Amino acid sequence: NAGVTQTPKFQVLKTGQSMTLQCAQDMNHNSMYWYRQDPGMGLRLIYYSASEGTTDKGEVPNGYNVSRLNKREFSLRLESAAPSQTSVYFCASSEAPDTGWLNEKLFFGSGTQLSVL
Amino acid sequence: SQQGEEDPQALSIQEGENATMNCSYKTSINNLQWYRQNSGRGLVHLILIRSNEREKHSGRLRVTLDTSKKSSSLLITASRAADTASYFCATDAREWASYDKVIFGPGTSLSVIP
């Protein structure tokens, strides 16, 4: 009963390097999300995927790309990492839209702590 | 821009006391949710209250919603050391036709001292 699994848990990059954060859910959820969490800022939505085959920008998409590989997996890619992307990244999933957006509850992974030097 | 903001930013209480956290938001909502985050972990959904509801209970949790004041409160009764965590309110913001985006506040850090 894994829920939402993120890899890696920790990563240190140098400015300009690229990497992909992986996320998989085993709850047969339709929607998946990537958030970043910074001190005093709460969680900010980077990208989301309402269903398999679709992706949309969130509040802070610049510098990121995503791929909804299948219903289970949603990856986040940093093409050229910058120090401003130092953050904790969370993947989440939800049943919506099947259950309706108004009752959407998010299930979160345990996060990836990323440092860009 | 932040739709919701929690108050206080940090709260320290003794085990057995009640803890109250407040959330204020700016625009009309369809629902409001509370989440808990233990240190180094992801957020866990606690409770969802709809805009036509005034109060909701779940175990030792009591959530109230006052849409006229655009505010909500989370009460944790008889707190335990295990309740030490950050608590976030989240509201929907209808910015896109097909998706009610969930917006999180900056959170309240609760410390329960044994």
Side-chain angles (χ1 to χ4, degrees):
Chain A
N1 195 14
V4 179
T5 303
Q6 291 181 237
T7 56
K9 292 190 183 301
F10 301 94
Q11 184 70 50
V12 179
L13 294 177
K14 293 181 180 178
T15 296
Q17 287 186 317
S18 62
M19 80 159 295
T20 300
L21 281 65
Q22 306 287 352
C23 175
Q25 52 91 10
D26 62 2
M27 295 173 282
N28 201 37
H29 283 171
N30 292 301
S31 298
M32 298 184 74
Y33 314 83
W34 277 105
Y35 286 89
R36 58 178 290 173
Q37 183 178 31
D38 302 292
M41 298 290 290
L43 277 76
R44 293 181 293 170
L45 182 65
I46 304 171
Y47 270 94
Y48 71 98
S49 170
S51 61
E52 185 178 356
T54 68
T55 60
D56 286 283
K57 295 178 181 179
E59 185 181 354
V60 288
N62 291 344
Y64 305 95
N65 286 301
V66 291
S67 296
R68 183 74 183 268
L69 304 171
N70 46 55
K71 192 171 185 178
R72 289 186 63 250
E73 299 172 289
F74 189 38
S75 62
L76 178 72
R77 182 162 179 83
L78 286 70
E79 292 290 352
S80 180
S84 62
Q85 294 178 304
T86 293
S87 187
V88 181
Y89 291 85
F90 288 97
C91 178
S93 69
S94 72
E95 292 181 333
D98 282 357
T99 55
W101 293 110
L102 298 182
N103 294 319
E104 183 185 17
K105 303 173 188 177
L106 301 180
F107 295 78
F108 284 83
S110 57
T112 295
Q113 190 168 327
L114 175 66
S115 294
V116 183
L117 306 177
Chain B
S1 63
Q2 290 180 333
Q3 163 76 318
E5 292 201 14
E6 296 88 347
D7 171 60
Q9 290 186 342
L11 180 62
S12 182
I13 60 173
Q14 296 288 330
E15 200 166 29
E17 293 181 337
N18 295 341
T20 300
M21 288 159 271
N22 302 298
C23 172
S24 60
Y25 56 91
K26 298 176 183 175
T27 65
S28 61
I29 60 172
N30 295 301
N31 64 61
L32 185 144
Q33 304 179 52
W34 285 91
Y35 288 78
R36 183 188 73 233
Q37 183 182 32
N38 291 94
S39 180
R41 306 299 297 271
L43 279 71
V44 174
H45 181 268
L46 295 176
I47 199 162
L48 181 151
I49 186 166
R50 300 175 187 172
S51 60
N52 61 353
E53 297 176 311
R54 292 296 169 259
E55 189 170 310
K56 208 162 183 181
H57 296 255
S58 177
R60 293 183 296 111
L61 306 180
R62 174 183 165 231
V63 170
T64 61
L65 179 64
D66 187 335
T67 54
S68 66
K69 295 181 179 179
K70 292 187 170 58
S71 68
S72 173
S73 67
L74 170 67
L75 168 68
I76 304 174
T77 60
S79 63
R80 305 166 182 169
D83 294 326
T84 294
S86 292
Y87 292 82
F88 296 86
C89 73
T91 57
D92 63 294
R94 193 182 293 270
E95 293 186 13
W96 293 284
S98 62
Y99 170 52
D100 289 327
K101 187 176 75 169
V102 178
I103 301 177
F104 290 85
T108 291
S109 177
L110 172 66
S111 296
V112 181
I113 303 167

